[in-house]
């Protein structure tokens, strides 16, 4: 099978997987809900004449607050389920087989299969970013209107949006690679979702050793560009952090690809 | 089949599920490791061992959530659930036995986690390091940590019964307990009614101005009452 055909078939498989749409929908709805809540609070403070009660009256910051973290969880779920669904056993009366055997029968060339799956993860996370990021910012802008003072310039807004989309894409690819290695979605989901919350193992490790700032999720967290007073200080700058996180994603993709190519199923 | 037989059967199923054993052992080890790490920073601030253990509880709850979800969802991958229904046709009895077995498993793991963490912290950090001795109130907080972890485990079990699939139940519980509270907490004070925020009063001193440890427990009970009967009703009325 050619790469194009393999990618199209993987696209169809992922598009008909309920977990993918659940992740995309919940990312969109969850971030919209929190953006609406945030924007209404800001508008109420502005119309009451007490803008100092809220941290920021910028509509960009209002729309940007919750969306990055929720999107990371969505990207992780997409990355994990694209390959994790292949290794889920069927029902016992249907033979208890895993979908991976059918997939490998249809596409015996494993590198093609791996590359097409990785591209589909990238495609779905990019689509999610294209809808969620501008949508949230526009929604916050619509609710707050002209009342707020915009503290974020256009170039900075574009940079931060692209940085967030990059973080989501790299996190999705990381989740994909780790799930290829573990062949089950449970542990990657548990570890990665925990790491993207405040209860983060990597963040805890940074208290023990500064080397932990080179872990992929720690290296890339400044890509979101949150104002300095609301994040834990330290870590790499956005661009070096993006390079480090990209290197991690590439390295894990290569390792997972080699393992996928060589082992049984 | 009577209830003790069903409970022991469910406990045997969990005992022989490799990932459940790994999860329980992993929770204990991770809790102890993180408590020791946090105790290193706590000694600089003049804290005590129970404070470090209390700060490790949010990390340990992740393993407890997986354990609770496994207790209910492990039978639905494959056809084992139908075998269970053939063995115990009385669904009310089956769900009661499952829930009590999950409660026992989660409570035991929570107890071990808090106990081992406390022991490891006390052993590795001598009082001369700057770690103050535990007062009576702090010892009650350790008990509160066990209660909180058990509650979260049983809540995860209820969500697993409702969802019937491991991944949706796991992602929902993790989002409810880890992702949503910090995001909502920065926006509205009503985030205190979320289970982990209300439950944190059980093991963290004075975390909230409105809720007390007693009312925090009531809020947790409220969450259980909201999900438990729904899970039981779904279990009894749905197909399989």
């Amino acid at each position: 099978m050619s790469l194009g055909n393999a990618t199209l078939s993987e696209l169809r498989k992922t598009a008909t997987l309920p977990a993918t749409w659940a992740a995309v929908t919940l990312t969109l709805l969850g971030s919209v809900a929190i953006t609406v809540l945030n924007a209404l609070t800001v508008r109420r403070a502005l119309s009451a004449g007490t803008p100092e009660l809220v941290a920021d009256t910028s509509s960009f910051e209002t729309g940007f607050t919750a969306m990055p973290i929720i999107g990371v969880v969505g990207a992780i779920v997409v990355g994990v389920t694209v390959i994790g669904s292949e290794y889920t056993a069927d029902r016992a009366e249907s033979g208890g087989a895993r979908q991976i055997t059918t997939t490998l029968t249809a596409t015996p060339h494993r590198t093609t299969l791996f590359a097409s799956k990785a591209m589909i993860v990238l495609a779905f996370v990019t689509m999610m970013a294209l809808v969620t990021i501008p949508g949230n910012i526009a929604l916050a802008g619509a609710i707050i209107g002209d009342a707020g003072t915009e503290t974020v310039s256009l170039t900075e807004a574009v940079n931060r949006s692209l940085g967030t989309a990059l973080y989501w894409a790299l996190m999705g690819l990381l989740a994909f690679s780790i799930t290829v290695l573990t062949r089950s979605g449970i542990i990657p989901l548990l570890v990665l979702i925990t790491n993207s919350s405040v209860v983060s193992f990597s963040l805890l490790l940074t208290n023990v050793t500064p080397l932990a700032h080179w872990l992929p999720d720690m290296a890339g967290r400044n890509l979101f560009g949150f104002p300095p007073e609301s994040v834990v200080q330290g870590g790499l700058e956005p661009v070096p952090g993006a390079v480090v996180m990209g290197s991690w994603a590439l390295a894990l993709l290569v390792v997972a690809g080699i393992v996928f190519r060589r082992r049984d199923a | 089949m009577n209830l003790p037989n069903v409970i022991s059967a469910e406990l045997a199923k969990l005992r022989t599920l490799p990932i459940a054993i790994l999860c329980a052992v992993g929770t204990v080890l991770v809790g102890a490791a993180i408590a020791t790490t946090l105790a290193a920073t706590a000694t600089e601030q003049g804290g005590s061992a129970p404070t470090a253990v209390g700060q490790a509880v949010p990390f340990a709850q992740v393993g407890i959530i997986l354990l609770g979800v496994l207790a209910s969802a492990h039978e639905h991958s494959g056809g084992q659930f139908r075998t269970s229904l053939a063995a115990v046709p009385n669904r009310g009895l089956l769900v009661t036995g499952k829930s009590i077995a999950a409660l026992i498993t989660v409570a035991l793991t929570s107890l071990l986690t808090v106990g081992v963490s406390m022991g490891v912290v006390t052993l590795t950090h001598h009082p001369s390091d700057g770690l103050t001795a535990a007062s009576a109130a702090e010892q009650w907080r350790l008990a509160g940590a066990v209660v909180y972890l058990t509650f979260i485990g049983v809540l995860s079990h209820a969500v697993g019964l409702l969802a019937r699939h491991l991944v949706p139940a796991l992602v929902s519980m993790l989002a409810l307990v880890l992702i949503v509270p910090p995001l909502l907490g920065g926006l509205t004070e009503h985030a205190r009614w979320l289970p982990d925020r209300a439950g944190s009063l059980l093991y963290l001193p004075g975390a909230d101005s409105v809720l007390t440890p007693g009312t925090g427990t009531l809020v947790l009970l409220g969450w259980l009452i909201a999900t438990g009967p729904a899970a039981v009703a779904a279990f009894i009325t749905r197909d399989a």
Side-chain angles (χ1 to χ4, degrees):
Chain A
M1 229 199 225
S2 70
L3 185 61
N5 281 344
T7 313
L8 281 175
S9 60
E10 289 303 324
L11 177 68
R12 174 166 281 173
K13 274 159 74 176
T14 313
T16 50
L17 196 60
T20 317
W21 296 111
V24 171
T25 319
L26 285 175
T27 303
L28 193 59
L29 292 180
S31 51
V32 158
I34 298 195
T35 300
V36 165
L37 195 62
N38 209 2
L40 286 177
T41 314
V42 170
R43 193 172 75 170
R44 208 176 308 130
L46 283 171
S47 54
T50 52
E52 62 275 3
L53 281 180
V54 290
D56 217 302
T57 56
S58 144
S59 66
F60 180 83
E61 291 284 1
T62 312
F64 215 72
T65 320
M67 173 191 47
I69 301 298
I70 299 183
V72 170
V73 176
I76 291 170
V77 173
V78 169
V80 166
T81 49
V82 159
I83 187 71
S85 60
E86 301 267 358
Y87 289 104
T88 323
D90 233 353
R91 302 187 311 177
E93 52 263 21
S94 314
R98 301 175 303 174
Q99 192 184 299
I100 189 73
T101 29
T102 316
T103 307
L104 288 173
T105 315
T107 315
H109 197 238
R110 297 205 182 188
T111 315
T112 310
L113 178 63
F114 186 84
S116 57
K117 276 197 183 284
M119 283 199 287
I120 291 304
V121 170
L122 211 55
F124 270 90
V125 175
T126 312
M127 184 255 303
M128 195 172 72
L130 271 174
V131 175
T132 312
I133 300 180
N136 270 290
I137 298 170
L139 186 63
I143 294 181
I144 293 182
D146 288 327
T149 47
E150 189 58 68
T151 52
V152 177
S153 65
L154 186 61
T155 43
E156 190 188 335
V158 169
N159 284 340
R160 283 173 63 176
S161 306
L162 289 176
T164 307
L166 180 66
Y167 189 96
W168 290 3
L170 291 175
M171 202 43 123
L173 288 175
L174 278 165
F176 171 73
S177 314
I178 297 175
T179 315
V180 167
L181 292 170
T182 59
R183 284 189 282 193
S184 156
I186 305 176
I187 303 295
L189 268 178
L190 202 71
V191 173
L192 289 173
I193 294 184
T194 314
N195 254 4
S196 47
S197 68
V198 285
V199 186
S200 167
F201 297 110
S202 329
L203 197 59
L204 195 62
L205 268 178
T206 56
N207 291 337
V208 176
T209 161
L211 284 176
H213 286 294
W214 294 82
L215 286 171
D217 52 337
M218 283 289 110
R221 70 188 169 97
N222 284 325
L223 276 168
F224 299 140
F226 285 131
E229 56 269 9
S230 53
V231 286
V232 175
Q233 286 310 303
L236 305 169
E237 291 296 310
V239 175
V243 171
V244 170
M245 196 178 175
S247 317
W248 270 100
L250 189 64
L252 275 175
L253 273 174
V254 168
V255 168
I258 294 174
V259 168
F260 187 70
R261 194 153 182 266
R262 293 179 57 87
R263 75 178 169 205
D264 260 350
Chain B
M1 265 231 183
N2 51 22
L3 189 59
N5 280 349
V6 176
I7 297 175
S8 57
E10 293 296 327
L11 281 174
K13 283 187 211 166
L14 280 175
R15 183 176 48 87
T16 52
L17 188 65
I19 189 171
I21 301 289
L22 277 173
C23 180
V25 171
T27 309
V28 174
L29 291 177
V30 164
I34 293 185
T36 322
T37 316
L38 288 169
T41 49
T43 50
E44 298 159 23
Q45 297 158 359
S48 63
T51 318
V53 173
Q55 285 171 338
V57 165
F59 292 88
Q61 74 185 345
V62 172
I64 298 286
I65 288 173
L66 178 60
L67 196 56
V69 170
L70 272 174
S72 49
H74 76 100
E75 290 207 302
H76 289 277
S77 61
Q80 191 182 315
F81 188 60
R82 267 166 292 239
T83 315
S84 300
L85 285 177
V88 189
N90 186 348
R91 294 203 186 197
L93 183 65
L94 184 58
V95 75
T96 314
K98 263 186 189 289
S99 305
I100 295 180
L103 176 66
I104 294 173
T105 316
V106 165
L108 204 62
T109 312
S110 312
L111 200 60
L112 274 174
T113 307
V114 172
V116 169
S117 307
M118 187 66 193
V120 169
V121 168
T122 320
L123 281 174
T124 54
H125 292 266
H126 211 250
S128 58
D129 278 348
L131 205 63
T132 56
S135 64
E138 290 179 329
Q139 282 162 357
W140 274 113
R141 250 178 254 136
L142 286 178
V146 176
V147 170
Y148 167 72
L149 286 174
T150 312
F151 261 118
I152 288 291
V154 177
L155 186 64
S156 317
H157 170 74
V159 170
L161 281 177
L162 275 171
R164 288 188 294 181
H165 291 291
L166 187 65
V167 170
L170 189 62
V171 175
S172 328
M173 272 308 290
L174 285 177
L176 178 67
V177 164
L178 293 177
I179 308 287
V180 172
L183 293 176
L184 279 185
L187 290 179
T188 163
E189 52 163 15
H190 295 298
R192 65 168 63 97
W193 303 107
L194 287 169
D196 76 314
R197 290 272 158 132
S200 66
L201 289 151
L202 285 166
Y203 58 92
L204 287 176
D208 193 75
S209 53
V210 169
L211 297 174
T212 66
T215 47
T217 321
L218 286 176
V219 172
L220 281 175
L221 266 175
W223 277 91
L224 267 179
I225 290 171
T227 46
V232 169
F235 192 93
I236 292 177
T237 50
R238 278 198 295 219
D239 255 347

